[in-house]
Amino acid sequence: MQSSHLLLEEPIRMVSILEPSKASFFPAMTKIVGTLGPRSRSVDVISACLKAGMSVARFDFSWHDPEYHQETLENLKAAVKLTKKLCAVMLDTVGPELQVVNKNEKVISLEADATVILTPDEGQEASSNILPINFDGLSKAVKKGDTIFIGQYLFTGSETTSVWLEVSEVQGNDVVCVIKNTATLTGALFTLHASQIRIVLPTLSDKDKEVISSWGVQNKIDFLSLSYTRHAEDVRHAREFLSKLGDLSQTQIFAKIENIEGLNHFDEILQEADGIILSRGNLGIDLPPEKVFLFQKAALYKCNMAGKPAVVTRVVDSMTDNLRPTRAEATDVANAVLDGSDAILLGAETLRGLYPVETISTVGRICAEAEKVFNQDLYFKKTVKYVGEPMTHLESIASSAVRAAIKVKASVIICFTSSGRAARLIAKYRPIMPVLSVVIPRLKTNQLKWTFTGAFEARQSLIVRGLFPMLADPRHAAESTSATNESVLKVALDYGKASGIIKSHDRVVVCQKVGDASVVKIIELGD
Ligand SMILES: Nc1ncnc2c1ncn2[C@@H]1O[C@H](COP(=O)(O)OP(=O)(O)O)[C@@H](O)[C@H]1O
Ligand SMILES: C=C(OP(=O)(O)O)C(=O)O
Ligand SMILES: [K+]
Ligand SMILES: [Mg+2]
């Protein structure tokens, strides 16, 4: 794809760093999840977000009501039609999130060394002296000396917009705290974080269940972002819940790791989940700062080796109010890509930030640059070694397809799939060229009616690094002959050509089944 491949492990000529990068059709192989909200809900803005590279829209139910999100989603659908860019839908649960409720949105000034009471009595009005919270178990969970952190959704930890409290006394259901820093809280909702305590609340709250079975079912959500996943059991429970909701049995579950309890059970959670969200906002508060990078690297490695998509959050907070990220943030985005993340999740930046579209394109450009210096060769060897022998047939085919594509400098890999499994396995080996995953619909029945599969599988690849889905015409159903396969391949090639990723005389690697055999074909195109 790129002519001069730079590797960080080799000396780089400094001037080459400044060479402009070639424009490519795909903004980046790394995917961008955008949280939609007040600043990103018109058809115009969403269309611009899609064009800038957002491929998954996150609807965070910690904010607003289902009607509000439905309006936004209708606009997203219109934008998808308009731009012809696919976009998957992610429902993010509230989960066991502790919140300070400030119904009247009064500005709350908190002075260092003064005291403030946290009370479960939600009837009270929030003020400098008393903060009502949505949880009546706090007084039982904390003890004198514990620290509590309160900030607006997507707080930065900035000294003036978030506040540290120290528990000085428990009085019945109330918790009396000493304020550690002077701060001014503005807005309707603040997250409350008590370090390293166990919150006895279910991971899927009743409100979450209600929203999933109504809004989720109505909109056939592609992903459930399971906030505060703490145990593998949380994922199993959510899966069981989804399995009874018709189409949602196909919804993928992304476990959000946002506290130490989730970190401790990471391995088991990864086994159960379809993907992981490294929720660095909350986890970053629970962890000592010097440990955050290590969690990120260790977790991404495990996700990569398991072949499950990993999403990194909270990369460019400062872009909520600024057109340019800080140098630390810009470097952080690139490092997330080098560490192996599949996608970057934007929260406040797109939800209530001033520059949602610019944020997406800036992050996309940084990702694309980092991908160019990603040491694919080293990564490939590491992955093959980790998988060991004997490999499953499909994994062997997938890794061979990636190797062949690199050896012959193919411009794209085309992978036929129905379940999405083969395409995901190819992506696991992190090819440097895009993978066109041609999803062939399968006819299925639930006793009542016959329908085609494929739509979920196609959209779910929109969160996997390097995968670009194309849903084949249902007339090319999976139980097809090699003749129809040839015609689907032609459609895929035409699509690649029309979109500019395939040119005349390019080589293309194709992964498909011929008869009973899975094969890797290398084809060279004519004019
Ligand atoms: N409809 C199809 N036509 C041709 N080859 C296919 C088709 N579906 C899957 N394959 C190929 O079959 C192999 C198994 O892939 P996998 O994704 O596990 O298939 P499925 O989705 O049918 O379970 C891969 O080599 C894949 O490229
Ligand atoms: C994305 C995060 O969580 P939230 O759902 O609160 O935005 C986070 O904690 O990084
Ligand atoms: K949430
Ligand atoms: Mg969070």
Side-chain angles (χ1 to χ4, degrees):
M1 210 169 39
Q2 57 270 8
S3 49
S4 56
H5 198 80
L6 304 178
L7 282 182
L8 296 176
E9 290 77 7
E10 292 167 4
I12 292 177
R13 278 187 319 123
M14 282 302 173
V15 286
S16 68
I17 291 176
L18 298 175
E19 279 166 19
S21 298
K22 268 193 279 171
S24 71
F25 170 72
F26 293 118
M29 304 270 268
T30 307
K31 301 305 166 82
I32 298 179
V33 183
T35 308
L36 300 188
R39 288 284 183 164
S40 48
R41 61 194 305 260
S42 68
V43 177
D44 279 356
V45 174
I46 301 176
S47 299
C49 289
L50 292 171
K51 285 190 202 150
M54 175 181 83
S55 63
V56 180
R58 178 174 84 129
F59 294 83
D60 183 356
F61 277 79
S62 291
W63 285 65
H64 310 296
D65 48 40
E67 294 71 38
Y68 180 93
H69 287 306
Q70 193 62 40
E71 266 175 43
T72 313
L73 184 57
E74 294 306 325
N75 289 346
L76 170 66
K77 285 186 206 158
V80 164
K81 262 212 188 106
L82 216 66
T83 58
K84 299 194 174 64
K85 303 260 180 214
L86 286 179
C87 189
V89 171
M90 175 182 276
L91 186 161
D92 194 299
T93 61
V94 182
E97 180 169 85
L98 307 189
Q99 297 168 343
V100 173
V101 191
N102 182 20
K103 286 195 194 89
N104 300 328
E105 299 202 33
K106 265 183 36 190
V107 174
I108 301 170
S109 301
L110 300 170
E111 288 289 329
D113 300 326
T115 56
V116 66
I117 297 173
L118 302 176
T119 178
D121 178 3
E122 287 192 57
Q124 300 256 19
E125 193 176 335
S127 71
S128 306
N129 306 316
I130 193 152
L131 298 173
I133 59 172
N134 67 343
F135 177 52
D136 61 12
L138 189 69
S139 60
K140 285 179 204 75
V142 296
K143 56 182 187 319
K144 187 175 158 57
D146 281 355
T147 22
I148 292 177
F149 186 82
I150 294 174
Q152 194 174 27
Y153 173 65
L154 307 161
F155 38 72
T156 58
S158 151
E159 281 289 299
T160 50
T161 58
S162 51
V163 69
W164 290 99
L165 308 175
E166 189 180 303
V167 176
S168 65
E169 197 185 340
V170 172
Q171 287 178 349
N173 287 332
D174 293 352
V175 177
V176 184
C177 302
V178 176
I179 299 167
K180 304 302 279 183
N181 66 286
T182 298
T184 306
L185 304 179
T186 54
L189 187 81
F190 314 106
T191 307
L192 181 148
H193 191 98
S195 284
Q196 306 202 22
I197 66 160
R198 193 176 148 60
I199 302 295
V200 263
L201 282 177
T203 302
L204 265 188
S205 68
D206 288 343
K207 188 187 154 214
D208 288 327
K209 288 184 175 168
E210 197 185 301
V211 162
I212 295 168
S213 16
S214 52
W215 198 92
V217 170
Q218 182 189 338
N219 298 304
K220 301 189 179 174
I221 50 166
D222 301 299
F223 303 110
L224 180 73
S225 161
L226 192 61
S227 295
Y228 298 91
T229 302
R230 293 161 293 177
H231 296 271
E233 187 54 44
D234 297 341
V235 184
R236 282 193 286 271
H237 181 244
R239 179 114 37 221
E240 201 186 302
F241 182 71
L242 291 176
S243 74
K244 296 179 190 131
L245 298 175
D247 284 329
L248 296 204
S249 60
Q250 295 173 74
T251 300
Q252 288 191 340
I253 301 176
F254 275 58
K256 264 169 102 186
I257 307 298
E258 11 196 10
N259 58 23
I260 289 187
E261 218 178 334
L263 175 148
N264 279 332
H265 302 109
F266 187 88
D267 291 354
E268 304 92 274
I269 292 172
L270 177 58
Q271 270 189 13
E272 291 292 330
D274 298 301
I276 297 283
I277 299 176
L278 282 68
S279 218
R280 304 190 310 174
N282 293 310
L283 185 65
I285 298 170
D286 230 15
L287 280 179
E290 65 275 22
K291 295 290 186 187
V292 174
F293 84 98
L294 195 51
F295 165 74
Q296 171 165 323
K297 286 179 191 285
L300 288 176
Y301 174 78
K302 284 172 190 279
C303 291
N304 289 167
M305 293 304 117
K308 294 192 179 179
V311 183
V312 169
T313 74
R314 305 298 299 275
V315 288
V316 285
D317 287 352
S318 80
M319 285 197 82
T320 307
D321 312 304
N322 297 287
L323 207 41
R324 281 172 71 103
T326 68
R327 70 225 70 76
E329 290 170 330
T331 307
D332 183 45
V333 174
N335 278 327
V337 172
L338 296 176
D339 288 349
S341 69
D342 286 81
I344 299 290
L345 186 153
L346 301 173
E349 305 96 320
T350 49
L351 176 118
R352 61 175 171 84
L354 303 180
Y355 309 104
V357 181
E358 292 85 349
T359 306
I360 294 169
S361 46
T362 304
V363 168
R365 282 201 309 275
I366 301 172
C367 291
E369 288 295 324
E371 286 156 14
K372 288 182 187 153
V373 297
F374 181 74
N375 194 333
Q376 200 278 338
D377 193 46
L378 197 69
Y379 175 90
F380 186 93
K381 287 188 181 126
K382 194 169 72 175
T383 312
V384 168
K385 189 168 163 217
Y386 179 90
V387 172
E389 287 171 10
M391 262 188 191
T392 63
H393 293 195
L394 193 56
E395 182 135 16
S396 163
I397 290 286
S399 55
S400 305
V402 174
R403 212 175 141 69
I406 288 168
K407 290 287 174 207
V408 305
K409 294 198 164 27
S411 53
V412 64
I413 299 174
I414 294 180
C415 174
F416 283 67
T417 186
S418 288
S419 62
R421 200 160 45 129
R424 267 198 308 277
L425 270 175
I426 290 178
K428 177 180 174 184
Y429 288 87
R430 293 282 189 253
I432 57 174
M433 63 291 291
V435 180
L436 210 58
S437 110
V438 182
V439 182
I440 314 282
R442 232 197 301 249
L443 199 56
K444 68 159 188 187
T445 179
N446 64 358
Q447 319 281 298
L448 290 172
K449 58 175 188 197
W450 290 86
T451 45
F452 282 106
T453 67
F456 275 95
E457 290 80 355
R459 286 192 304 261
Q460 284 164 346
S461 53
L462 291 165
I463 205 164
V464 182
R465 178 147 142 198
L467 286 192
F468 297 89
M470 196 192 108
L471 185 57
D473 193 309
R475 278 170 302 172
H476 301 297
E479 299 74 21
S480 58
T481 63
S482 58
T484 46
N485 264 338
E486 284 314 303
S487 73
V488 180
L489 179 58
K490 190 173 173 309
V491 174
L493 288 170
D494 289 346
Y495 170 80
K497 282 182 198 157
S499 56
I501 46 165
I502 308 177
K503 297 179 298 300
S504 319
H505 306 293
D506 273 1
R507 269 147 297 193
V508 172
V509 165
V510 182
C511 188
Q512 72 183 130
K513 227 178 326 214
V514 176
D516 282 341
S518 289
V519 297
V520 175
K521 289 200 304 205
I522 302 169
I523 53 179
E524 184 136 3
L525 303 179
D527 290 309

